[in-house]
Amino acid sequence: MGLGYQKTDRNAFDYDIWFDAGLPNLALRGPQSDLHADNRISFIGAAQTFGRFVHDPFPRQVGQFLERPIANLGFSGAGVEFYLQRPKLMALLATSDTVVVQSMSARSVSAGVFKTARNNGVLCFQSGPRKGESFMAQEAYRLLKIEYGEDALIEQRKTVQEKWVEQHRDLASQVPGRKVFLWLSNEAPGDNLDYGNSAIGKFPHMVSAEMVSELPDMGFEVIECILNPEPVQILVNDHSHVVERVFDQQNFPNRPDNLRALNVYYASPALHDKAARMLCKALL
Amino acid sequence: MTVTDMPKSFTLLIGPPRSGTTLIANTFMSHSTVCGVHEPYQHGRANGYGTTDFADFKADHSLDFTDTPNLALKETTTRLRNVELSLELAQNVQNSGTYTSLILILRCPFEAFLSQVEASRDHWEEKKLTDITEESVAHFFDRQRAPLRLICENARRFHFRIVSYDSFCASPETETARLMALIPVPMEPHQKDLMPDAAGLALPDPKFASSRGGITKTDRAMSVDHLIETYQHVPSVKFAMALRALIALDVKKITDVEKLDALTALVL
């Protein structure tokens, strides 16, 4: 998870990965913090909460602005089920003053044809001709569309969307403190459901405005943080300050050459800054 | 040099003598992907060894990165020249495009001093520091400042971590995992055994015995208090007291960057 990002991005970003004794094998975004501190704000989410490609992710900014302890519990590719399946993480959330839940993709949901695997955006087919095979989510959904048919794809989307809502309801029921849902995207809710170029749409994949509208009844305050258009982020070596081809030919052979030093997917520093400001305003 | 002649990463582990550098370096170097060199400049000082050209260094130490692609070098601040050479080598490696990092290992300077005295009295052939006097105390702490200043001035050139001997002893597993993540590789289960290498096992110094499958810390709290009370009027002891306070700060309350800033301010 986070170690993978550190390995790929290390010439451009030092994520200061650390491990808590109570959460072995979970690589946490640094700097270190007291995960049990009183009055803390816990943040859960995927790579955006972890803060891939940013030096100062929004959880840390919020902690600094509000002078409150924070726990960054963001993990790459995480969905709500990642937390629900880990009692120690749920215990941390249950004892937090506030929990900020970043919008996580419905692609990270085990339901229907797919089960999440290794928690890094990989899905494993549970039935049909591809049963037992694992692919990155986008490719898995593409194969579903081509080999299982359009109807199967539509049914799969509906199934994971329902499960996504159910998992958020389950999460909310186990978190007694204040709950904030942070929509963090380049698209407004609904606009992300553009399946023209991808079978899963844009981030947060397959999460609709209707799904988000159900969250307040569960106890979530919803904050929509949208930055569109978002400037492309050029990745730079943090010591030499020259452009860094993070996505090199050896490890990313299929990535176009002109995108090797660009972040065109993960939340940019500008989006993190905006999210931090909006959260601070809400949490003050 | 071709790309295959270079390691995937280079990590310099460095700290004052008797600060746990051997324990932590052994743990770091016991990872299956790491090959290590212990104190090349200290051991080679009698012959004037000072190579910082990486091709020569690799040949001198018969390094092969085929199975162990990550290289680690451990050195102490015993001699300022050792620090200069280590940092120069690290810079040369980084200039070649290899990912280069630095781990600064720190320990309460009073405990390090007392450990040095005990080792000199009981284990070393060279009886250099056997008496606790105002002169020996002042000399020991005075000698810390310049190497630490040099490290502080250069650490930001690399990705760096600061680890204290005490925090490592308190949480060897999580601290090892944190340090390995710098390269980054996941910690391997056997690293928890904290085993020294074969050469270390043969030595009488208790620091190797204490790292044989666990850590047995010597409680020097009363001796440290006595040392401070006796010599607090010595200017370099004031420096050591400030250093001690800095090292003792909770790692969850101060980042490594902030700690390095504070250390830099202290040693400048």
Side-chain angles (χ1 to χ4, degrees):
Chain A
M1 291 189 291
L3 273 185
Y5 289 159
Q6 180 76 16
K7 186 173 185 180
T8 305
D9 310 345
R10 63 186 183 180
N11 288 323
F13 295 88
D14 180 1
Y15 297 124
D16 199 3
I17 299 288
W18 68 287
F19 297 82
D20 186 83
L23 302 171
N25 305 320
L26 288 179
L28 297 159
R29 172 70 191 253
Q32 298 182 69
S33 63
D34 182 358
L35 301 182
H36 300 272
D38 291 340
N39 198 35
R40 70 186 179 279
I41 308 170
S42 292
F43 295 80
I44 67 170
Q48 294 76 13
T49 296
F50 175 87
R52 188 179 192 189
F53 294 141
V54 290
H55 292 289
D56 209 5
F58 69 85
R60 181 157 189 245
Q61 291 190 45
V62 170
Q64 288 176 325
F65 288 149
L66 299 181
E67 296 185 332
R68 285 181 62 180
I70 64 112
N72 185 337
L73 302 172
F75 302 101
S76 72
V80 166
E81 71 184 48
F82 176 82
Y83 299 91
L84 292 173
Q85 291 166 355
R86 288 167 173 77
K88 289 181 178 175
L89 286 175
M90 290 306 297
L92 286 173
L93 301 183
T95 54
S96 299
D97 176 82
T98 301
V99 175
V100 176
V101 180
Q102 176 226 319
S103 50
M104 290 174 267
S105 294
R107 74 169 193 191
S108 304
V109 169
S110 293
V113 180
F114 294 126
K115 186 177 182 190
T116 57
R118 302 200 302 275
N119 189 52
N120 52 5
V122 175
L123 295 175
C124 181
F125 280 90
Q126 299 298 296
S127 61
R130 291 278 183 180
K131 184 177 179 182
E133 295 184 47
S134 296
F135 299 91
M136 293 301 288
Q138 187 150 331
E139 177 64 2
Y141 272 86
R142 191 186 70 83
L143 290 170
L144 181 72
K145 180 181 180 181
I146 293 170
E147 298 180 10
Y148 289 60
E150 186 75 28
D151 288 347
L153 173 65
I154 291 169
E155 180 61 25
Q156 176 65 22
R157 283 185 194 136
K158 184 168 174 287
T159 303
V160 294
Q161 286 175 329
E162 288 171 356
K163 186 79 172 181
W164 186 96
V165 173
E166 185 185 316
Q167 289 176 342
H168 279 73
R169 186 170 287 114
D170 192 2
L171 176 77
S173 71
Q174 297 184 50
V175 176
R178 188 174 179 183
K179 294 175 278 291
V180 175
F181 179 85
L182 176 67
W183 176 274
L184 187 71
S185 176
N186 301 137
E187 310 293 338
D191 293 347
N192 58 317
L193 305 181
D194 173 6
Y195 300 122
N197 294 321
S198 163
I200 56 175
K202 296 176 181 174
F203 184 83
H205 309 100
M206 299 180 285
V207 178
S208 67
E210 290 72 26
M211 293 157 71
V212 175
S213 72
E214 294 195 44
L215 295 169
D217 285 345
M218 302 175 198
F220 286 102
E221 302 162 47
V222 175
I223 295 175
E224 292 184 10
C225 179
I226 301 154
L227 192 62
N228 191 352
E230 184 171 42
V232 167
Q233 181 186 2
I234 299 168
L235 304 173
V236 175
N237 187 298
D238 63 358
H239 287 107
S240 68
H241 304 296
V242 299
V243 172
E244 179 72 30
R245 290 173 179 265
V246 166
F247 300 102
D248 61 25
Q249 173 71 35
Q250 186 182 353
N251 295 304
F252 300 90
N254 297 324
R255 193 174 176 95
D257 274 343
N258 61 347
L259 297 182
R260 294 202 179 283
L262 298 181
N263 168 25
V264 293
Y265 175 76
Y266 296 96
S268 68
L271 185 51
H272 275 264
D273 293 349
K274 184 174 181 182
R277 287 198 298 274
M278 293 182 75
L279 282 167
C280 286
K281 190 176 174 187
L283 295 174
L284 268 173
Chain B
M1 296 183 86
T2 65
V3 172
T4 52
D5 291 327
M6 297 301 292
K8 278 189 179 173
S9 72
F10 175 90
T11 305
L12 172 60
L13 297 109
I14 195 161
R18 308 305 290 190
S19 293
T21 54
T22 302
L23 170 69
I24 294 168
N26 276 335
T27 306
F28 191 92
M29 292 173 186
S30 68
H31 194 277
S32 63
T33 68
V34 177
C35 57
V37 180
H38 279 269
E39 303 189 29
Y41 301 118
Q42 177 66 7
H43 292 153
R45 68 191 187 284
N47 303 322
Y49 185 72
T51 297
T52 58
D53 177 273
F54 188 71
D56 293 342
F57 187 87
K58 179 174 179 280
D60 293 341
H61 296 86
S62 306
L63 297 172
D64 181 352
F65 307 122
T66 309
D67 297 323
T68 49
N70 298 298
L71 174 62
L73 184 151
K74 177 250 182 177
E75 193 59 84
T76 70
T77 61
T78 302
R79 292 166 70 233
L80 181 61
R81 184 62 182 147
N82 295 346
V83 179
E84 291 172 345
L85 292 167
S86 300
L87 290 168
E88 196 174 314
L89 179 71
Q91 187 62 62
N92 288 342
V93 174
Q94 187 177 60
N95 290 346
S96 72
T98 296
Y99 175 78
T100 304
S101 55
L102 182 146
I103 295 172
L104 174 58
I105 301 164
L106 297 172
R107 182 186 190 184
C108 164
F110 299 102
E111 291 206 23
F113 172 79
L114 292 168
S115 173
Q116 177 102 330
V117 171
E118 288 165 25
S120 186
R121 280 177 183 164
D122 303 335
H123 305 292
W124 293 351
E125 289 179 14
E126 194 178 4
K127 306 289 182 191
K128 281 200 304 190
L129 183 62
T130 55
D131 297 323
I132 300 176
T133 64
E134 184 169 320
E135 187 185 6
S136 67
V137 168
H139 181 68
F140 185 85
F141 297 136
D142 274 339
R143 285 180 61 123
Q144 306 274 329
R145 192 186 286 260
L148 284 176
R149 182 168 60 226
L150 192 59
I151 292 168
C152 287
E153 287 169 351
N154 287 276
R156 292 172 189 79
R157 295 172 185 265
F158 317 106
H159 287 153
F160 68 90
R161 299 285 182 271
I162 297 177
V163 58
S164 86
Y165 176 71
D166 280 335
S167 65
F168 187 86
C169 292
S171 317
E173 198 169 334
T174 52
E175 279 297 85
T176 301
R178 183 174 78 96
L179 297 181
M180 301 317 299
L182 181 57
I183 301 183
V185 291
M187 185 185 72
E188 294 173 336
H190 71 268
Q191 289 187 278
K192 288 184 284 187
D193 297 340
L194 309 172
M195 291 294 286
D197 57 23
L201 281 167
L203 295 172
D205 191 330
K207 74 180 180 182
F208 294 106
S210 68
S211 61
R212 213 170 281 164
I215 303 167
T216 309
K217 279 189 69 188
T218 307
D219 185 359
R220 298 189 176 90
M222 286 181 64
S223 305
V224 167
D225 288 345
H226 178 71
L227 193 65
I228 292 172
E229 195 178 326
T230 309
Y231 298 108
Q232 58 186 312
H233 60 280
V234 179
S236 62
V237 170
K238 290 190 172 69
F239 161 72
M241 288 167 66
L243 181 58
R244 178 196 190 210
L246 178 61
I247 294 167
L249 289 174
D250 184 347
V251 294
K252 293 184 176 177
K253 300 273 172 60
I254 181 170
T255 68
D256 281 356
V257 173
E258 291 164 343
K259 194 171 266 191
L260 185 68
D261 288 347
L263 183 62
T264 306
L266 181 63
V267 297
L268 280 176

